Structures are given as C-alpha cells and as structure tokens.
Amino acid sequence: MKFGYFDDQNREYVITRPDTPLPWINYLGCQEYFGIISNTAGGYSFYRDARLRRLTRYRYNNAPWDCGGRYIYLRDNESGSFWSPSWQPTRHAAEDYSCRHGMGYTTIGSKFAGIEAYTRYFVPLDENLEIWQLTVSNRRATPARISVFASVEFCLWDAQDDATNFQRNYNIGEVEVNEGVLYHKTEYRERRNHFAFFACSEPTAGFDTARDAFLGPYRGWDNPAAVASGQLSNSIAHGWAPIGAHQVNLVLAAGETRQIIFVLGYQENPVDRKFDPPDSQTINKKTAEPVIAKYLGAKEADAAFGRLHEHWDRLLGIFQVDTPDLHTNRMVNIWNAYQCMATFNMSRSASSFESGIGRGLGFRDSNQDLLGFVHMVPARARERILDLASTQLDTGGAYHQYQPLTKRGNNDIGSGFNDDPHWLILGVAAYLKETGDWSILNELVPYDNKPGTEEPLYAHMGRSFGYTLERLGPHGLPLIGRADWNDCLNLNCFSDTPGNSFQTTTNRDGMVAESVFIAGLFVRASRELAAIACHQGHPDDAKRFLAAAEKMEQTVKEHGWDGEWFLRAYDSFGEKIGSKERDEGKIFIESNGFCVLAGIGLDDGRAAKALASVRERLATKHGLVVHQPAYTRYYLHLGEISSYPPGYKENAGVFCHVNPWVMIAETRLGHGDEAHDYYLRINPSAREEISEVHRCEPYVYAQMIAGKDAPTFGEAKNSWLTGTAAWNYYAITQWILGVRPTYGGLEIAPVIPAGWQGFTATRIFRGVKYKIAIERAGPGNNVALTVNGSPIEGNIVRPPTDGSNEISISAVLS
Ligand code: GLC
Ligand code: GLC
C-alpha cells in the first residue's frame, strides 16, 4: 500500500494522504540554519546545533507522535469554523491534501470548505531564516472572509534544559514586539547575543506571544481558543511559554488568490551592539530588519527559491544515471544523494529518531558519511576530515564522538572503539580519489586539539595504522576494545547493572577479545594507506603497510575462518563468536562482508564460500540480517547486542548500513545479479508498495528493518541519519554501476545484472564532465573502453591533459 508517489521530474515525493504510518519528514536548510518538517507541518528549527540553539519547541515521544510545528490555521469568519491546511494539528477531513517533499523544501496544503491553501517552506541559501510562503485561494463562487493564523512555539534555546529545568524556565521567557515583528529574546538580557524573530508580510490584525493566551487553559494546538474566537489578544509573554502567532484578516473575492509570507529566523548581534539604545535592555534590531524586509517580498522569496533549486541542480548533476531500473535511477539521481547531504549536515543529531540533544558527531560515522558526499561538497569534506583528525588522540585512537559547536572530543563517550582510527584512513582515501588534492596530507593537524602537537595528516594515518598493531590479541587479531563497528558487541563490558552504559562500562582488561571485522578493516585500510604512501614517495612506509596487511590476511585465514564463513570475533574467554560451534550467533554479516570487500579469500574460494553462507543464512526478503540465529536472552559476555529482543537493531535486525558491504563483496566476485538483488531488497523506492509494512519514508533509507525473528518483520526504524545512506550510494555507484574514482583517474568497472543491456551516466570528476555509455555484448564483466573514440588499455580513464572539460567514454561489457 502506498501513501503517495514519486514525482521524479520535479524531484519530489508527493504524499497524498496525511495519515502516513509515521510522520514522513524532510530537511530544510543546508548550511547553518536547519529544520525538520513532517508531512503535516510538524518539526522544529535550529541554528547549527540542534541542542544548544534550538529556535522552536518539539515534543519527542509524544502522542500523537509529531507534536510541535509550523502550524497555520484558517478560519472562515462567516461560519466560525477553523482548520489547518496541513491536516495537523486540527485533523479536518480536507480535500486534495498533498505534501510535496523536495530538495530542501516542503509544500503542504489542502482544500477545505472551498478554500485552498498551500504553504511552501524553505531556507534560502546563505541566510539564517526560513520562509513560509502561503498561497490561499477562494474556490467558492462567493466572496470569503477568512482569518489566517500562523504560529510557532519558541524553545528556550537549550533543548535539553528546555525539556527539564522548569523551575527556572517558567520565569525567563521574554519577547519584544516591534512593527508587527515578534522577537524571542529569552536570556538575551544576560549572556546570549542571539534572538529569534517571526514576521509577516501583511499588516496583521493581532498577535500573541503567550502560549496560554493563544491556546487557552487546558487546550492544545488542535483547538486554540484564540483561533476559535477569531481574534488574537496581543498578549506579551512573561515567563512560561513564549510563542509567536500572527493573525491576518482577508476578504477574498470568488476565485481570488493571495500570497502571505511568514519569516522565522535567527540573528546574532555583536556583543557591544546588543542593545539599542545601548544602555537599554531593548534588542538592537537594526541587524535583523533588512533581512526580514527582504524576504517578506514575494519576488525575493521566489528568487531565493530559484537559487535553492539551482543549488540542488548543481549538486545532483555531478552524477546522473539512466539504467533499466527505475528504483536505481531514482535513488542514485535524487534521493540517496540527497540523504547523503542530510547525513553530512546532521550527522546523527536531529531526525524523528534522534532527538537533537544526544549524539555529537561520530568519528566512525562521519568518516564513512564522506563516501556519500565527497563528490558533491569536496571543500567541506576536506574541512570535515581536518576537524575529525584534530580530535584524534596521540595513541592513534579516537574519541568516539565530538561536539560540532566546539569541535572537541566528547569525554562522556570516551574512546577505545578499536575500529575508529581506520575509518579516518578510508575517509581520506575517498577524498584523495575524488579530488586528487594531495595537499591535504601535508596539513598540520593537532592531536586532541592540543596546540603544539601538530603533525601532517599523513602522520595521523600512520598512527591509526600503528594503533591496531600495538593492540593485537592472543591470535594476532586486533583487540576489539569497547566495540568495533557493531557498537553493541561489547565483549569487555560485562554489565549486570541496569542503566549502565554499554558503551562506556568496562569490566575486563580487554587483552583477550578480538575482532575479525577489524582485521578485515585493517587489511583494507592498510592497503589504501600503502597506495597513498607510494604516491607520496614513501616506499618504505608502503612496504611496511603492505606487509602488515598481508600478515593480517594470513592471520584471518588461520584464526578467523570457521570452515564455511569468517568468524566474527573471539570473546574475552577466547571463545569463538560467529561460529558453527555456537547455538546462537553462528554467523555474522560484518566480518563476512568486510573481509571479502577487503579482498580476503578471493584467491582461495573462501570469499565465495562465505558469501554463499551469507545468502543461505542471513538473506531475507527484507534484506540481510546482522546474524543468525538471533540471541534469545541476555548474555553478560556479549553485552548490548543481546539486550535487544530478537530481530531488532543489532540483534539480528536488517542493519541496512552493512548490507552494502555484502553487495560490494558480491561485485568483487563478479556477481552483478546477486549484488543488485540485495540492493533492491532494501532500496526504499523498491519498498514503496509495502509502505504499510515498512512504515518509514519510502524515499530514504532507514538504519534498520526488523529482521525475521521480529514479530514486525519488515518494519523500518530510524530513517534518514544513518551510514546506510553513504554505503548504499557508494555500493551502487562505484561497485555495481562501477563508475569509480581512483587515485589515477576514473575507473569504469560495472558489475551489473546479466539482464541489463547497459546504461548511461554523466559524472563530473575533478572538473571534467564524463559522458559514459555502457553496453553489454556478453554476460561477463570484462570491459573494453573507448575514450573519445579511441580504444584504451585497462579501465582507468586518466584526466585530460589538453584542457578539455568533456570526455565521452563507451564501454563494452563481455
Ligand atoms: C549506529 C552507529 C554506528 C554503528 C552502528 C552499529 O548506526 O551510529 O556508529 O556502527 O550503529 O552499531
Ligand atoms: C546503541 C544502538 C546503536 C548505536 C549506539 C550509539 O548501542 O543500538 O545502533 O550505534 O547506541 O550510541
């Protein structure tokens, strides 16, 4: 069952009924001012940090789920009835409801009692504000007298404090109203130099800034007393809950259409010019007034929207494909790339499942996210890499997370996740392959942000490498530390105390438990590092990296192989995990996917065997589960993985992030059909038809789909902010379609389904446009390349040396 449809032409998902199984959200903003917005106008806005600079209030874990938003109400002043064109919060049975989620904007509206109203919400480029463009039309044959109300509830900035510290917060709320603009200035009197504003393009017939006055006692957003009465009361908030609400009265002739613009924004003032006059407590509004005036004009708003559109044209235009498969095209050309940008902007901070107050930027996560966005925003990827590397510890290890506002490592989560350091190598490698900007390796970067400790980035990667070699266990495999990629495989935790953090509790010395997954990761990262060392003219380093990778590969074959698949780990008693010897958790996806992806066992049949075992034991119609059988009870020595009920999250859920490792592994064996088959099982667009089962948005990946052991098999959770976005993008574009940046040029190495006759693509790579046509002449994956009409050896197309900026490539597969 579907709740809407894809409008690929306009790059939109159009939701045609408001009661989607869960709120289906979109993101506004792409630089510093952001918002999330659901299909019924729920959501909130923030400046840079979803916890510390939150403009508007949102209630997580509320019933109904999606509470707090950018709510507009219309009131028919003849009948006195009122409704919300976005369905929520009044939930009237309107006609023609639609929500169009597009690239950085959302338009929601409907028709009720002959009045049509649609609002387009977006954040203009280079501004810290959002525009709500409301278009109201009278479709009646008679004139209509309508009042429009637009409302927001302000958050007292720190969302965590806002939700907990009521004894203080009920006293501090402050606002100002000036020339029809509502200013939220809580804590401005003291140490904050920022305020929020909410403005309207029309002369208003009233406002409210006190929530109680607007809603009325004992009433909610579904039934505000002031809207029901038809008149706002010009209330001024003193403490309690400051809001912003505007009222505009309209008389619309039959068939008439009007546009009203609301602007909600954030402004920071210089400390010495906070107040105007300087010795007063009144906000200096001169800094905000011009920008407010600018965007209240329909022309400027439309122009800003046009620039936003061009921005996305440019980003998405960097890679476009036309394949025989609609779902592949749609995800690659539009939604998967778009989701990769969301993970770049948000990391794991703000979504329907991430409250904006929890996690900082993950070291591991952010490095992996690079794989999905580096081609779209290389300069920002460079900056991100240097920020991440600056939090690396001098041991080569890493804080697991850092805070985006301070860019400092987060001590609460600590370090000791022994896979972390290697993701930096893979992140840098992806950057170098995309850009050819080797200068980044010479950038001087500190350890743990300590001045005086700076070394070239290249040396940081050497420390990542060394970190593992200094931490090998009894079998010569890497010690796992707190956990590896699987945050929930906590082999040194041994927690029997409720509420203990699985992530930070340690009751073992950590000298026994080893990870075969990290071994695979190490092999992959060390070979990348060797290639980088060669290029940098450090052949001795390269030899060292290669020798260590080779040795690790042998160790994996000797101690990390279970006969039919790769083991997952050794626990802190030295017992095997992910082995036929176990009753539960016999086989795991991570080590099998990553070891083969790293090339281990391609030469001796182990890789093929491992993937056959994965197919037999882990593949389900909804994707590949993490392991089988699921853990049916809590095991002290395994930790959080066994804390989840079977089939959920890391306990045998379909973790979509790791599915692409197996897709890539399949391509390494030349299995295009298998790789693409796995790709489609979790592709959101391909799952659109079962939206009532999947429940999350059909246009973006979710972190997890409930596994076959779960009663809700096939149900997705935690959409949007997940490494799934980057890895799937990377797998489909670089390994299945095989358009792959390498250090020396663009490699063309498709491993596509046998039934595909070919595909075409355009790729902008290092400033040059490559027009690529792939044609199948035989069933295999051998590539014969012609570049600008001349056949070339091998399958790497070198960047042009003659200054041309367009190249056409044709490839024949046989
Ligand atoms: C979450 C984390 C990621 C981790 C994964 C598996 O997605 O963000 O870092 O690798 O879970 O536990
Ligand atoms: C929990 C989740 C895991 C996530 C981690 C991050 O362990 O199961 O997916 O990576 O929290 O904090």
Side-chain angles (χ1 to χ4, degrees):
M1 175 182 177
K2 302 202 294 181
F3 293 78
Y5 61 92
F6 285 91
D7 177 349
D8 293 334
Q9 206 62 44
N10 290 306
R11 298 192 299 230
E12 291 174 337
Y13 191 79
V14 187
I15 301 163
T16 49
R17 47 184 288 185
D19 57 339
T20 47
L22 295 168
W24 285 359
I25 71 162
N26 191 16
Y27 286 88
L28 309 177
C30 49
Q31 290 152 319
E32 305 210 299
Y33 183 101
F34 295 102
I36 64 176
I37 182 162
S38 74
N39 57 305
T40 56
Y44 60 93
S45 302
F46 59 94
Y47 172 73
R48 287 184 62 193
D49 187 310
R51 171 175 166 181
L52 297 175
R53 291 282 194 284
R54 194 171 304 188
L55 271 80
T56 55
R57 203 171 258 169
Y58 187 76
R59 293 176 178 77
Y60 277 94
N61 202 5
N62 196 72
W65 172 315
D66 187 32
C67 183
R70 302 171 181 84
Y71 295 139
I72 288 178
Y73 305 83
L74 298 189
R75 182 177 188 275
D76 182 342
N77 290 331
E78 308 291 346
S79 67
S81 67
F82 66 92
W83 68 97
S84 302
S86 59
W87 194 59
Q88 282 282 42
T90 66
R91 290 193 299 280
H92 279 67
E95 301 159 63
D96 299 338
Y97 161 88
S98 73
C99 165
R100 292 182 165 265
H101 283 318
M103 305 288 106
Y105 68 92
T106 287
T107 304
I108 315 174
S110 61
K111 183 169 147 196
F112 185 80
I115 306 296
E116 211 174 75
Y118 291 89
T119 312
R120 182 167 77 182
Y121 301 92
F122 69 100
V123 174
L125 293 174
D126 305 319
E127 302 289 5
N128 296 322
L129 55 84
E130 64 191 69
I131 295 177
W132 309 4
Q133 260 178 306
L134 167 69
T135 307
V136 205
S137 308
N138 177 10
R139 301 288 177 223
R140 299 176 186 166
T142 53
R145 290 199 305 121
I146 300 293
S147 291
V148 175
F149 302 87
S151 64
V152 291
E153 181 174 3
F154 291 113
C155 177
L156 308 185
W157 301 116
D158 178 342
Q160 164 85 14
D161 190 75
D162 185 68
T164 46
N165 192 8
F166 306 109
Q167 60 79 27
R168 169 179 163 86
N169 293 344
Y170 287 162
N171 298 289
I172 62 175
E174 286 190 306
V175 298
E176 280 180 33
V177 179
N178 186 49
E179 301 196 356
V181 182
L182 313 177
Y183 294 87
H184 172 227
K185 64 161 187 178
T186 300
E187 290 188 342
Y188 192 76
R189 59 168 50 250
E190 30 136 345
R191 293 153 297 174
R192 293 190 186 276
N193 307 320
H194 45 263
F195 57 90
F197 53 80
F198 189 42
C200 173
S201 62
E202 306 305 301
T204 57
F207 64 85
D208 268 316
T209 66
R211 190 181 67 192
D212 270 0
F214 183 69
L215 296 183
Y218 295 94
R219 296 166 74 125
W221 294 91
D222 55 340
N223 192 18
V227 174
S229 80
Q231 185 57 52
L232 301 190
S233 64
N234 297 353
S235 61
I236 297 292
H238 301 286
W240 297 111
I243 64 158
H246 289 292
Q247 173 174 357
V248 177
N249 292 340
L250 299 176
V251 180
L252 295 174
E256 187 183 351
T257 294
R258 289 278 292 275
Q259 195 178 111
I260 305 177
I261 296 175
F262 300 95
V263 172
L264 171 69
Y266 171 93
Q267 181 69 35
E268 253 170 41
N269 272 348
V271 194
D272 55 349
R273 279 186 290 142
K274 270 178 77 164
F275 300 109
D276 180 23
D279 57 356
S280 74
Q281 290 288 295
T282 311
I283 303 175
N284 170 11
K285 307 181 185 69
K286 294 206 176 76
T287 48
E289 277 162 351
V291 82
I292 296 175
K294 178 171 178 189
Y295 291 105
L296 288 178
K299 258 211 189 113
E300 282 295 347
D302 287 340
F305 185 77
R307 286 192 295 272
L308 183 66
H309 200 83
E310 284 159 18
H311 170 78
W312 282 105
D313 270 349
R314 194 183 59 73
L315 290 185
L316 301 180
I318 293 168
F319 191 48
Q320 289 287 301
V321 294
D322 186 7
T323 79
D325 178 52
L326 174 68
H327 306 298
T328 302
N329 298 344
R330 181 180 276 161
M331 290 309 292
V332 169
N333 294 340
I334 308 169
W335 291 100
N336 195 357
Y338 183 62
Q339 185 179 2
C340 287
M341 287 306 296
T343 62
F344 166 65
N345 288 323
M346 298 287 128
S347 186
R348 305 294 175 267
S349 74
S351 72
S352 301
F353 300 84
E354 302 283 6
S355 64
I357 59 181
R359 304 208 244 169
L361 262 76
F363 191 89
R364 169 206 293 146
D365 292 344
S366 299
N367 275 301
Q368 292 175 73
D369 289 348
L370 271 159
L371 295 173
F373 66 74
V374 63
H375 65 296
M376 292 185 277
V377 285
R380 297 178 77 190
R382 188 181 206 274
E383 188 188 338
R384 177 67 59 84
I385 288 171
L386 297 175
D387 284 350
L388 285 163
S390 305
T391 68
Q392 189 180 23
L393 302 168
D394 60 8
T395 58
Y399 286 109
H400 198 44
Q401 296 178 358
Y402 80 96
Q403 295 309 122
L405 264 189
T406 60
K407 298 190 172 178
R408 293 289 188 274
N410 182 345
N411 248 330
D412 302 343
I413 312 289
S415 65
F417 294 77
N418 285 351
D419 63 316
D420 272 338
H422 296 293
W423 298 112
L424 178 66
I425 299 176
L426 296 187
V428 174
Y431 175 79
L432 293 171
K433 290 175 184 176
E434 179 65 36
T435 62
D437 167 24
W438 294 88
S439 75
I440 192 174
L441 297 176
N442 306 326
E443 290 286 345
L444 292 175
V445 181
Y447 292 96
D448 196 6
N449 286 106
K450 290 201 180 84
T453 61
E454 291 81 0
E455 278 189 343
L457 180 63
Y458 178 73
H460 278 252
M461 294 196 286
R463 292 204 190 196
S464 293
F465 167 82
Y467 180 87
T468 293
L469 292 185
E470 287 160 19
R471 287 166 183 77
L472 297 178
H475 298 93
L477 292 163
L479 292 171
I480 196 168
R482 290 196 194 284
D484 59 23
W485 172 87
N486 189 329
D487 273 337
C488 298
L489 195 59
N490 316 118
L491 303 182
N492 296 302
C493 177
F494 284 76
S495 170
D496 55 11
T497 309
N500 256 354
S501 159
F502 287 109
Q503 314 271 300
T504 55
T505 306
T506 306
N507 284 308
R508 292 279 157 140
D509 66 7
M511 298 310 288
V512 177
E514 299 166 289
S515 164
V516 178
F517 164 74
I518 299 181
L521 177 63
F522 176 83
V523 169
R524 173 88 188 158
S526 301
R527 291 191 174 137
E528 287 289 7
L529 194 51
I532 293 170
C534 274
H535 184 278
Q536 289 299 90
H538 301 303
D540 292 344
D541 286 359
K543 261 188 220 143
R544 198 157 51 88
F545 301 144
L546 286 178
E550 178 58 33
K551 186 163 177 219
M552 188 64 79
E553 177 160 353
Q554 290 316 316
T555 308
V556 169
K557 288 182 174 177
E558 205 172 316
H559 298 292
W561 180 251
D562 198 51
E564 300 289 322
W565 56 79
F566 291 99
L567 290 174
R568 178 62 176 84
Y570 287 91
D571 67 22
S572 79
F573 306 105
E575 300 286 336
K576 294 171 183 168
I577 294 179
S579 159
K580 57 180 179 287
E581 293 171 19
R582 300 279 81 83
D583 294 333
E584 301 187 335
K586 283 178 190 291
I587 172 171
F588 278 71
I589 192 170
E590 302 99 315
S591 47
N592 287 292
F594 220 93
C595 285
V596 179
L597 177 161
I600 303 176
L602 289 176
D603 52 346
D604 63 5
R606 280 186 169 89
K609 250 191 200 167
L611 294 194
S613 300
V614 165
R615 177 158 284 258
E616 184 190 326
R617 292 163 187 262
L618 301 181
T620 78
K621 63 179 177 179
H622 295 297
L624 297 156
V625 297
V626 176
H627 62 267
Q628 279 293 295
Y631 293 114
T632 54
R633 60 186 186 84
Y634 178 58
Y635 295 96
L636 191 63
H637 68 293
L638 298 178
E640 187 169 5
I641 191 168
S642 60
S643 76
Y644 287 113
Y648 292 105
K649 292 279 281 184
E650 283 87 342
N651 189 10
V654 174
F655 227 85
C656 297
H657 179 150
V658 285
N659 277 232
W661 298 354
V662 178
M663 296 169 203
I664 297 170
E666 290 286 4
T667 67
R668 297 219 57 180
L669 286 167
H671 299 162
D673 281 321
E674 284 79 356
H676 198 258
D677 167 31
Y678 288 145
Y679 174 72
L680 282 184
R681 292 186 199 204
I682 61 168
N683 179 304
S685 161
R687 297 173 62 77
E688 187 196 13
E689 293 286 349
I690 52 161
S691 287
E692 80 287 4
V693 176
H694 185 80
R695 302 189 76 224
C696 280
E697 297 90 337
Y699 40 90
V700 289
Y701 287 96
Q703 178 201 60
M704 196 242 357
I705 298 172
K708 60 184 175 186
D709 303 286
T712 59
F713 183 34
E715 178 192 54
K717 289 199 189 99
N718 204 358
S719 53
W720 280 101
L721 304 183
T722 157
T724 308
W727 274 104
N728 274 284
Y729 189 81
Y730 177 67
I732 184 70
T733 60
Q734 299 201 20
W735 294 91
I736 298 177
L737 300 176
V739 179
R740 185 154 69 227
T742 66
Y743 298 112
L746 195 62
E747 183 172 1
I748 308 294
V751 182
I752 53 177
W756 284 17
Q757 285 316 300
F759 68 90
T760 59
T762 42
R763 176 69 155 87
I764 297 172
F765 177 63
R766 301 188 195 170
V768 176
K769 185 181 220 171
Y770 292 78
K771 293 182 147 177
I772 305 160
I774 313 283
E775 207 183 307
R776 196 183 262 308
N781 304 307
N782 296 317
V783 180
L785 273 192
T786 311
V787 175
N788 287 338
S790 317
I792 64 158
E793 285 291 310
N795 52 2
I796 296 183
V797 184
R798 314 256 159 221
T801 45
D802 61 359
S804 59
N805 53 14
E806 199 168 302
I807 289 188
S808 54
I809 301 176
S810 73
V812 176
L813 293 186
S814 60

